[in-house]
Amino acid sequence: MNTMAYEYEEDIDDDKTEEEKEQDRIKQELLESLAASIEDKFQRRASNRRAKEQQWLRSAELYYGKLAFTGNLINRETPFELTSYANRPDVNVVRSKCSIAIAQTFSMQFGTGNKNWDLWPAKTNTDEQASAKAEAMSAVIEQQLDDSNYTGVCWKGMRDRVVLGTAVLKGPANVGKLVRSYVQLEGSTTWVPDVSVDYSPELKYVNPWFFYPDDTVEDLKNLGDTIEVHPTSPLDLKKLIKHEGFRADAIECVLENKPEEYRNENWADFARLSENNANLFKGKYLLLEYRGPITRTQLDQLDIEPCYDSLNDEYYGEVWVCDGQVLRIELESIEASFRPPYYMSVWEKDPASVFGFGVPLMMEDAQRVVNETWHMILDNSSMSSGAQVAMHKHMVEPANGRWELGPNQIWYLTDPGTSVQEAIQFFNVPNTTDMLVPVMQLAQGFAEEESGIPLITAGLNSPQAVDSATGQLVIQQASTTLLDFMSEEWDNCVTEPVIEAWYGWNMQHNPDPNIKGAFKVDVRTSS
């Protein structure tokens, strides 16, 4: 694989001329300035994103319910104020809706086992072998996606899109991955492991909590640059020395200083989501991966020569920074793409952010009503399950000294002139379950309307279902309308640009001439 990486080694020789030393000084100052600007941009974006992260936290708490660590549930006396009351039973309607949405959208994409895209010769392609080459290119891309666990990566993204509102994928990643193989020692029967780097294109899942895109836009197509955070252990940082394009001397400089013991100040809520895990990100370096414009002036000073002419003297590239050191700087893997290699799909669009809203936030009010109604049903059932007692305490006295009802209990009348009916009266609390259950069902119906995910799509009974066979058929046919739309949105935002990126990567880097040509991507929406 061809790379345009800059590898600068701090090796000052007495033989260097003053001009060479001056050039080295300028390069080092440029690298330090570039690292500082990226770290500063990350800190600003992390500070400005608190509101969106609070939405993610609320979404996760609604989805996990009591599995979440917080224990913030609804108090029966103040149903609209979150208080800690961990022993109250709840009914989690959010998780079932999210699970249905994840399963259905995944099934629409991959349930048949066949790909929903293909390559066709472009109208301008006059090559007689164009169809055969397009078919060969399609087979190569399909195999590359299978090798990078395409379905598994998409499943993780679809889960984030439903729960957090946003799926983030990245590719083709050109850092490469370490591959272990075995070689036989010459003149021996011993085989030893050999580690090499595989530069095949790879699709990667990106956790939205660690993704910091340009926050001055609300549309992914207009993103200027992105920063992805990699909490990295010292061992993983050492492994990067094996990767082509990483500056070994800069990595060794970073490793001279131990990482801060805890680096989770930006993800404290994330670390405490399911339990208070104080060790999450302990002893980790914060490795920042910047993807965005690099000026021609900067490239010239770093002796990096682009392979094409840009319209505005800016080129997209990647810069990896850790603790003030630039560990890697390289031009984009697909030349002239002019965009960061990230793909985002949202469930509900946020008009002020590239991130979206997930299903849990859309159902938050319905979940509160269901929980509160369920609490009232349980409280009322408990109170109405046995008789309530009113007594004149000075007129009666329990024989065993215990003021509680029980079998074969003996009571003494302390006032001879008083009858039992005057001393003790029993009454029953009315059971209102029949009146509360319709309220709970109404809230469940609102949950289906607000989420657009009826239970019937999962083969379960739905409050919206009707008794007639015709009504059932109509509802069944229309039940996946929203999910069909969401599947089409996924194809537009993820499937199509991913296939186009893999096509561009193979056109640029694949040495096989029998798969190359002018092709167009055709995505057949799964729905």
Side-chain angles (χ1 to χ4, degrees):
M1 173 180 176
N2 296 325
T3 61
M4 296 293 298
Y6 169 72
E7 299 180 3
Y8 174 68
E9 299 180 357
E10 289 188 42
D11 184 13
I12 302 178
D13 295 328
D14 295 335
D15 296 336
K16 284 188 175 182
T17 65
E18 291 298 327
E19 182 179 356
E20 290 174 335
K21 292 180 180 180
E22 179 64 16
Q23 289 177 351
D24 289 344
R25 186 188 63 80
I26 293 175
K27 292 177 182 179
Q28 186 61 27
E29 288 181 354
L30 176 60
L31 292 175
E32 292 175 356
S33 174
L34 191 59
S37 65
I38 292 174
E39 290 179 334
D40 180 63
K41 184 176 292 187
F42 160 67
Q43 292 297 339
R44 290 201 312 269
R45 291 180 183 177
S47 177
N48 295 337
R49 205 177 70 173
R50 297 298 186 189
K52 178 59 68 175
E53 291 177 353
Q54 289 302 311
Q55 291 178 1
W56 292 345
L57 187 64
R58 293 207 331 266
S59 296
E61 289 175 351
L62 287 166
Y63 174 74
Y64 287 112
K66 284 197 169 182
L67 299 178
F69 176 74
T70 57
N72 285 334
L73 303 176
I74 307 300
N75 187 301
R76 64 179 181 274
E77 297 178 355
T78 55
F80 300 103
E81 178 181 351
L82 292 176
T83 57
S84 181
Y85 199 83
N87 292 325
R88 296 288 285 176
D90 289 315
V91 178
N92 193 330
V93 297
V94 169
R95 187 162 59 246
S96 62
K97 290 289 188 295
C98 291
S99 298
I100 292 172
I102 297 168
Q104 288 287 348
T105 51
F106 182 82
S107 177
M108 288 177 178
Q109 288 289 328
F110 305 105
T112 63
N114 299 321
K115 69 180 191 294
N116 65 329
W117 57 269
D118 217 327
L119 296 178
W120 304 102
K123 293 181 179 180
T124 58
N125 193 334
T126 59
D127 188 352
E128 295 180 357
Q129 302 296 323
S131 297
K133 290 182 178 181
E135 185 176 350
M137 172 69 85
S138 176
V140 169
I141 294 176
E142 185 176 12
Q143 184 61 52
Q144 289 172 342
L145 292 176
D146 287 343
D147 292 342
S148 64
N149 190 23
Y150 178 59
T151 56
V153 171
C154 287
W155 181 87
K156 291 181 180 180
M158 290 177 180
R159 183 177 181 277
D160 283 345
R161 183 173 70 147
V162 171
V163 178
L164 302 181
T166 309
V168 184
L169 305 181
K170 178 180 70 173
N174 60 345
V175 172
K177 58 182 177 181
L178 295 179
V179 178
R180 183 182 63 182
S181 59
Y182 291 89
V183 295
Q184 186 176 10
L185 294 178
E186 186 176 354
S188 172
T189 59
T190 303
W191 290 72
V192 295
D194 179 65
V195 178
S196 59
V197 181
D198 181 13
Y199 288 103
S200 299
E202 185 178 7
L203 185 70
K204 292 189 175 183
Y205 160 78
V206 178
N207 191 330
W209 282 89
F210 301 100
F211 184 58
Y212 296 82
D214 182 5
D215 54 8
T216 64
V217 300
E218 47 79 31
D219 191 338
L220 175 66
K221 297 179 181 179
N222 300 324
L223 279 182
D225 60 73
T226 61
I227 297 176
E228 182 184 351
V229 180
H230 304 274
T232 307
S233 68
L235 177 60
D236 289 334
L237 200 58
K238 291 177 183 177
K239 290 179 181 179
L240 293 180
I241 297 177
K242 283 272 188 182
H243 291 262
E244 183 181 358
F246 279 90
R247 301 174 58 220
D249 60 315
I251 295 177
E252 291 171 355
C253 183
V254 172
L255 291 172
E256 289 179 359
N257 299 315
K258 291 185 178 180
E260 293 184 19
E261 186 174 5
Y262 297 101
R263 298 300 296 268
N264 64 355
E265 62 270 14
N266 291 312
W267 309 284
D269 294 330
F270 176 80
R272 293 194 297 265
L273 187 56
S274 59
E275 63 171 309
N276 194 3
N277 186 2
N279 293 320
L280 194 62
F281 311 123
K282 180 179 180 180
K284 297 290 195 302
Y285 293 98
L286 289 191
L287 181 59
L288 307 182
E289 178 185 353
Y290 167 86
R291 301 281 187 142
I294 303 175
T295 66
R296 181 57 187 260
T297 301
Q298 291 173 321
L299 295 176
D300 290 341
Q301 291 176 339
L302 296 172
D303 297 330
I304 298 178
E305 182 63 31
C307 298
Y308 62 96
D309 293 329
S310 176
L311 298 177
N312 58 356
D313 286 334
E314 282 188 340
Y315 297 82
Y316 267 84
E318 58 179 285
V319 183
W320 295 61
V321 176
C322 185
D323 286 355
Q325 295 287 333
V326 173
L327 307 189
R328 173 188 177 94
I329 180 168
E330 180 179 341
L331 290 179
E332 56 192 348
S333 59
I334 303 178
E335 296 173 357
S337 63
F338 300 110
R339 55 156 292 172
Y342 291 91
Y343 316 98
M344 300 177 67
S345 178
V346 300
W347 190 264
E348 183 69 25
K349 182 72 176 71
D350 184 340
S353 172
V354 295
F355 297 104
F357 300 109
V359 172
L361 278 184
M362 299 165 63
M363 297 178 57
E364 184 174 14
D365 290 338
Q367 176 67 72
R368 286 190 177 189
V369 175
V370 168
N371 276 345
E372 180 58 21
T373 307
W374 179 238
H375 295 165
M376 288 189 287
I377 290 175
L378 294 179
D379 291 342
N380 177 255
S381 298
S382 175
M383 289 186 294
S384 61
S385 62
Q388 303 291 314
V389 182
M391 67 173 65
H392 291 288
K393 192 173 181 179
H394 63 279
M395 295 182 179
V396 294
E397 180 180 309
N400 59 6
R402 300 173 59 183
W403 291 89
E404 59 184 35
L405 296 178
N408 302 319
Q409 178 83 325
I410 298 175
W411 297 82
Y412 297 137
L413 290 175
T414 58
D415 187 349
T418 302
S419 65
V420 173
Q421 290 76 14
E422 292 175 327
I424 302 177
Q425 293 289 332
F426 295 89
F427 64 93
N428 293 318
V429 174
N431 188 293
T432 59
T433 299
D434 291 342
M435 292 184 289
L436 291 174
V437 167
V439 176
M440 187 172 178
Q441 292 176 339
L442 185 63
Q444 291 175 317
F446 285 149
E448 296 201 355
E449 291 186 10
E450 292 174 354
S451 66
I453 307 170
L455 292 175
I456 197 171
T457 60
L460 302 176
N461 188 33
S462 169
Q464 305 298 329
V466 295
D467 295 332
S468 68
T470 302
Q472 287 276 2
L473 179 61
V474 171
I475 290 179
Q476 179 66 45
Q477 290 177 339
S479 62
T480 61
T481 300
L482 174 64
L483 298 180
D484 290 342
F485 172 77
M486 300 310 299
S487 181
E488 184 173 352
E489 197 270 348
W490 178 272
D491 284 331
N492 293 336
C493 296
V494 177
T495 307
E496 185 171 351
V498 164
I499 302 304
E500 289 177 347
W502 257 249
Y503 163 62
W505 189 94
N506 281 284
M507 287 296 296
Q508 182 175 337
H509 300 290
N510 198 313
D512 187 359
N514 297 319
I515 66 171
K516 298 188 178 183
F519 309 134
K520 64 177 182 179
V521 177
D522 178 26
V523 176
R524 301 179 297 277
T525 302
S526 304
S527 58

